[in-house]
Amino acid sequence: MTAAVDYNALIPNNVDLAADRRLQRALEAWHPKFLAWWRECGPADYQDNEVYLRTAVSVDKHGWAQFGHVKMPDYRWGIFLAERDGAARTIGFGEHLGAPVWSEVPGEFRAPLRRLIVTQGDTEPASVEQQRHLALTAPSLVDMRNLFQVNVEEARHLWAMVYILMAYFGRDGREEAETLLERRSGDVDKPRILGAFNEKTPDWLSFFMFTFFTDRDGKYQLASLAESAFDPLARTCQFMLTEEAHHMYVGETGVSRVIQRACDVMRAQRGDDVRRHRAIDLPTIQKYINFHFSVSEDLFGAEQSTNAANYFTQGLKGRYQEARLTDDHRLHDARYRLTQWQAGRLVETEVPALSVINERLRDDYIADCQRGVDRWNKLIADAGIDFVMRLPHRAFNRRIGQFADLPVTPDGSVVDAATWAARRADWLPTADDATYVQSLMRAVTTAGEFAGWIAPPRIGINNQPLDFDYVRL
Ligand SMILES: [Fe+2]
Ligand SMILES: [Fe+2]
């Protein structure tokens, strides 16, 4: 017999884990398998080094996390549901609008809710797997620490989804929790569920792009699940958003620093042969934007979707910030604009709003991405350099939905397939670009020093200096 683990102490939580024996037993069976997965698929190096990590310890807005040095396998992966203020919450949209939220899963919605939770849950360990080898080429210790922070929090998001599955879905939920540890990013036989989570994250420019564009898809999916009538799911996702914000910050500031370095080189050299000085040129950064943006857009699914309409009507998944929208929250008669592919052209149309819930969420996502790109462009303009980063047209390089595999250019022109193929190398990273970026990837492990292709960040983590021992070697 193994010694009993005090799960209430081991797993920081606000779900009164101590009071639920059945759930504790399920977690006791799952926990060693999770740790085995973390060892096999989590960061390939530095597992036994102390890392300066943020750990969620409560849901208090002002003090929800604590910072300290910890070995990653000893990280305390907690389970937290956001608190709801005031009176009993009511459902904010769909056919049950105004009714009390559900504290249990209604039998009729069991299958679709399970599918939504498993699909979200699957992305969390997938990204950890994708980023497994990056620490060996970290451009600084603060960057290495940020990578590990993102990794342990994605693993905590897996815990968050597994908690919901185990606490509310009985045997099916326990089986799904096992399967979440069995699929593998990029594996032909047992791939992760969504395409972008089977792509490689081979270098740090890709990592920053991933955390900017793909983690931001996560933000929008979580935000729409945070509206759910199924209250435990809504509150779990609401709390996950607090951590997600840091992941996108890592991405946005990471890309900013790569851009900054390119601009510094261009100004110092009075030319644009940035590669000669071992930095990453702006046109290459633009190609990485084109790739990661288009792949991440696919994560929102087909523009017109009966499933998405049903999720909305049934109250399972709302729109972004549903409560701030000023319509009837049912959308029976509402219309929404949609770019459609008709007779070989892109045309603006209007369709029933309920039929394009996915596209609406993608629109919110694109606007959010654009705000980040605007901040990058301000940096370039402030450096006095004549170059503008652009998000490609939504129909560019898509694999899912009505634009899948259409020969549309980044600026939204329709060309023939041969022209598209001939110009692909101008728009998307080539093997040569990837090889060049890879050639820059060399670990810098002296505190306070940074690789030459990236500018230092403006500030350290949690008010610590840049030469702090973020990872103790
Ligand atoms: Fe996550
Ligand atoms: Fe994330």
Side-chain angles (χ1 to χ4, degrees):
M1 220 186 105
T2 53
V5 176
D6 180 355
Y7 272 79
N8 207 45
L10 183 75
I11 306 171
N13 72 90
N14 69 344
V15 296
D16 200 9
L17 217 47
D20 190 339
R21 280 300 303 151
R22 192 179 62 92
L23 179 58
Q24 278 189 49
R25 275 197 300 276
L27 282 171
E28 279 163 12
W30 187 77
H31 185 213
K33 294 175 190 168
F34 165 80
L35 282 178
W37 166 82
W38 176 264
R39 284 278 184 190
E40 184 198 322
C41 304
D45 303 277
Y46 302 104
Q47 292 271 7
D48 295 318
N49 295 84
E50 294 191 325
V51 184
Y52 187 64
L53 292 175
R54 168 176 90 173
T55 303
V57 290
S58 79
V59 293
D60 181 344
K61 277 193 186 66
H62 304 290
W64 62 273
Q66 68 188 25
F67 286 79
H69 282 93
V70 57
K71 292 179 183 173
M72 286 184 279
D74 300 333
Y75 189 77
R76 294 172 80 218
W77 284 283
I79 297 171
F80 293 102
L81 274 59
E83 307 283 2
R84 291 293 188 200
D85 334 304
R89 199 167 76 91
T90 56
I91 299 169
F93 61 96
E95 65 188 355
H96 308 292
L97 180 72
V101 293
W102 315 321
S103 56
E104 293 292 337
V105 180
E108 56 183 317
F109 302 136
R110 199 178 160 81
L113 270 172
R114 188 175 119 188
R115 188 177 325 129
L116 282 169
I117 293 163
V118 166
T119 305
Q120 178 62 41
D122 191 68
T123 66
E124 314 288 356
S127 66
V128 176
E129 292 165 1
Q130 289 170 293
Q131 297 160 13
R132 171 169 163 77
H133 295 288
L134 287 173
L136 271 189
T137 55
S140 74
L141 289 185
V142 63
D143 289 297
M144 191 194 292
R145 175 267 170 205
N146 286 345
L147 166 72
F148 292 152
Q149 184 68 58
V150 170
N151 291 163
V152 293
E153 286 178 347
E154 299 303 6
R156 199 200 70 74
H157 293 175
L158 170 64
W159 275 84
M161 293 293 112
V162 162
Y163 160 73
I164 297 287
L165 288 167
M166 287 182 172
Y168 297 95
F169 290 83
R171 174 191 289 270
D172 297 355
R174 292 193 294 278
E175 282 171 8
E176 295 284 13
E178 305 261 313
T179 319
L180 283 168
L181 295 175
E182 286 163 8
R183 284 183 288 268
R184 291 286 180 274
S185 177
D187 189 301
V188 257
D189 297 322
K190 39 173 189 169
R192 292 293 174 184
I193 295 170
L194 300 171
F197 292 89
N198 288 301
E199 298 280 348
K200 285 198 164 63
T201 310
D203 58 64
W204 279 77
L205 182 57
S206 301
F207 171 67
F208 293 136
M209 292 289 173
F210 185 96
T211 42
F212 182 86
F213 287 110
T214 308
D215 280 83
R216 192 175 310 276
D217 158 70
K219 166 184 169 181
Y220 281 83
Q221 301 303 333
L222 290 174
S224 55
L225 291 173
E227 303 289 340
S228 182
F230 177 40
D231 197 50
L233 175 64
R235 291 165 56 199
T236 300
C237 291
Q238 186 65 46
F239 185 70
M240 289 160 75
L241 284 166
T242 52
E243 290 162 323
E244 210 55 60
H246 177 67
H247 308 177
M248 290 175 288
Y249 168 85
V250 167
E252 181 170 337
T253 55
V255 175
S256 292
R257 290 161 53 206
V258 182
I259 291 174
Q260 183 66 56
R261 178 70 184 132
C263 291
D264 291 348
V265 167
M266 289 168 79
R267 278 164 55 113
Q269 306 304 324
R270 298 175 189 282
D272 53 12
D273 191 2
V274 171
R275 288 194 184 190
R276 200 157 67 80
H277 302 277
R278 305 295 289 159
I280 304 176
D281 51 294
L282 299 178
T284 298
I285 298 171
Q286 174 69 65
K287 289 197 229 176
Y288 274 70
I289 290 174
N290 292 348
F291 174 73
H292 287 271
F293 176 69
S294 53
V295 167
S296 301
E297 275 187 305
D298 274 343
L299 292 169
F300 291 82
E303 292 76 12
Q304 289 173 291
S305 162
T306 314
N307 273 347
N310 289 340
Y311 293 157
F312 181 84
T313 301
Q314 294 164 345
L316 310 186
K317 186 176 173 185
R319 291 170 295 173
Y320 183 64
Q321 296 188 329
E322 186 70 48
R324 292 196 191 172
L325 301 173
T326 53
D327 53 29
D328 70 356
H329 302 283
R330 291 178 188 268
L331 304 180
H332 285 165
D333 307 312
R335 313 277 294 170
Y336 194 78
R337 75 189 139 67
L338 174 71
T339 305
Q340 279 191 294
W341 177 253
Q342 285 176 357
R345 292 190 312 129
L346 296 167
V347 287
E348 298 297 316
T349 59
E350 273 216 337
V351 297
L354 204 48
S355 69
V356 285
I357 293 286
N358 284 345
E359 187 68 353
R360 183 185 184 115
L361 193 62
R362 185 163 22 232
D363 282 341
D364 292 328
Y365 167 80
I366 292 173
D368 199 15
C369 289
Q370 185 61 52
R371 286 188 284 273
V373 172
D374 290 345
R375 288 188 287 271
W376 293 336
N377 282 330
K378 179 160 189 314
L379 210 88
I380 300 170
D382 287 351
I385 287 164
D386 182 21
F387 191 98
V388 179
M389 296 288 177
R390 288 198 167 79
L391 291 178
H393 190 276
R394 74 179 65 221
F396 172 73
N397 194 42
R398 295 287 301 280
R399 296 289 173 270
I400 305 263
Q402 55 168 346
F403 305 131
D405 303 313
L406 292 180
V408 177
T409 69
D411 65 9
S413 320
V414 181
V415 294
D416 61 78
T419 307
W420 199 95
R423 297 218 43 203
R424 186 182 197 285
D426 298 335
W427 299 327
L428 291 168
T430 61
D432 283 350
D433 293 327
T435 303
Y436 174 69
V437 171
Q438 196 64 54
S439 77
L440 302 174
M441 299 295 126
R442 297 274 186 276
V444 176
T445 55
T446 304
E449 291 186 8
F450 293 84
W453 56 271
I454 188 168
R458 279 178 203 192
I459 49 169
I461 296 300
N462 193 35
N463 297 319
Q464 302 292 355
L466 289 184
D467 62 356
F468 185 67
D469 58 344
Y470 290 104
V471 182
R472 287 184 178 150
L473 301 177

